[in-house]
Amino acid sequence: DEPIAIVGHGCRLPGGVDSPEAFWALLREGRDAIVEVPPDRWDAEAFYDPDPDAPGKMCTRHGGFLRDIDRFDAAFFGIAPREATHMDPQHRLLLEVAWEALEDAGIPADGLSGSRTGVFVGISGNDYAQLLLKKGDPTRINAYFAVGNALSAAAGRLAYTLGFEGPALAVDTACSSSLVAVHLACRSLRAGECRLALAGGVNLVLMPE
């Protein structure tokens, strides 16, 4: 019956937000994090039509996008470069932000190995896998591709990398995925399945579809 304490945060959000403090500053200052679609995502003009009913088109050139999603310190997490290339950037973001959340909590990540720590991740999209498949190069499909793009592996990779031995769940309930992840983390804590829980969500839009 003890209350559940939130002891650490981490985040990446549109508008160059890379910490809870930066997110609060963005809100306080009333800055707009919505921008034109970056050219490294897709050609916004090719897909734009002011008519919302135009088939195969979108009626906006704008959205909320993270920067530098191609950057990842694979060696820090003990991941080989070849494997990192085939990893969905969402997996990479989860590793980075989870580590930062533990740092924010003052909990050494390497001190949790073997502990009953749970992982609950809201994740729905798999744009990166679709991008690789659209290139039509069969040499891109290997064991790293399968594990690196499976939604189920997003939570498992966190647990494996950090040595957690509690539940590890990937949750897909569309827009409510991260909220359901937090809900399940609370239930798991109250049931005694884990003593500490990492809960959150990730979503990267990489394709116009």
Side-chain angles (χ1 to χ4, degrees), residues 17 36 41 45 68 70 103 119 125 128 170 172 196 208:
V17 171
E36 287 200 13
R41 295 295 178 99
E45 198 59 42
D68 303 323
D70 58 331
E103 284 187 332
V119 178
Y128 192 65
D172 179 5
L196 181 73

Side-chain angles (χ1 to χ4, degrees), residues 131-185:
L131 278 174
L132 293 180
L133 292 171
K134 281 181 79 171
K135 293 182 182 297
D137 181 359
T139 64
R140 294 176 178 269
I141 311 305
N142 55 28
Y144 292 133
F145 172 87
V147 176
N149 290 275
L151 301 187
S152 57
R157 185 184 296 278
L158 267 177
Y160 176 80
T161 301
L162 300 174
F164 298 163
E165 295 185 2
L169 305 179
V171 181
D172 179 5
T173 58
C175 298
S176 63
S177 296
S178 57
L179 294 175
V180 175
V182 172
H183 171 73
L184 293 175

Side-chain angles (χ1 to χ4, degrees), residues 1-197:
D1 296 327
E2 294 181 4
I4 293 171
I6 300 173
V7 296
H9 300 81
C11 64
R12 294 280 191 285
L13 296 165
V17 171
D18 59 3
S19 70
E21 293 76 19
F23 182 46
W24 175 242
L26 181 140
L27 295 174
R28 189 181 63 238
E29 296 162 14
R31 286 185 280 119
D32 189 352
I34 301 303
V35 298
E36 287 200 13
V37 178
D40 60 346
R41 295 295 178 99
W42 62 81
D43 181 357
E45 198 59 42
F47 289 93
Y48 174 75
D49 193 303
D51 178 4
D53 296 321
K57 301 289 184 177
M58 58 182 72
C59 59
T60 181
R61 300 188 186 92
H62 297 80
F65 299 91
L66 298 189
R67 302 172 184 168
D68 303 323
I69 59 170
D70 58 331
R71 298 184 182 181
F72 176 62
D73 189 351
F76 180 82
F77 293 102
I79 296 171
R82 185 182 177 200
E83 181 178 3
T85 300
H86 289 82
M87 276 175 60
D88 188 327
Q90 295 180 126
H91 291 214
R92 304 176 210 162
L93 282 167
L94 286 169
L95 285 168
E96 293 174 346
V97 176
W99 190 278
E100 291 170 9
L102 292 172
E103 284 187 332
D104 185 59
I107 301 173
D110 55 3
L112 292 173
S113 181
S115 68
R116 282 193 294 137
T117 298
V119 178
F120 304 84
V121 172
I123 181 170
S124 298
N126 63 345
D127 286 12
Y128 192 65
Q130 294 181 56
L131 278 174
L132 293 180
L133 292 171
K134 281 181 79 171
K135 293 182 182 297
D137 181 359
T139 64
R140 294 176 178 269
I141 311 305
N142 55 28
Y144 292 133
F145 172 87
V147 176
N149 290 275
L151 301 187
S152 57
R157 185 184 296 278
L158 267 177
Y160 176 80
T161 301
L162 300 174
F164 298 163
E165 295 185 2
L169 305 179
V171 181
D172 179 5
T173 58
C175 298
S176 63
S177 296
S178 57
L179 294 175
V180 175
V182 172
H183 171 73
L184 293 175
C186 292
R187 288 178 62 100
S188 185
L189 286 165
R190 294 202 185 280
E193 296 172 341
C194 58
R195 297 178 58 83
L196 181 73

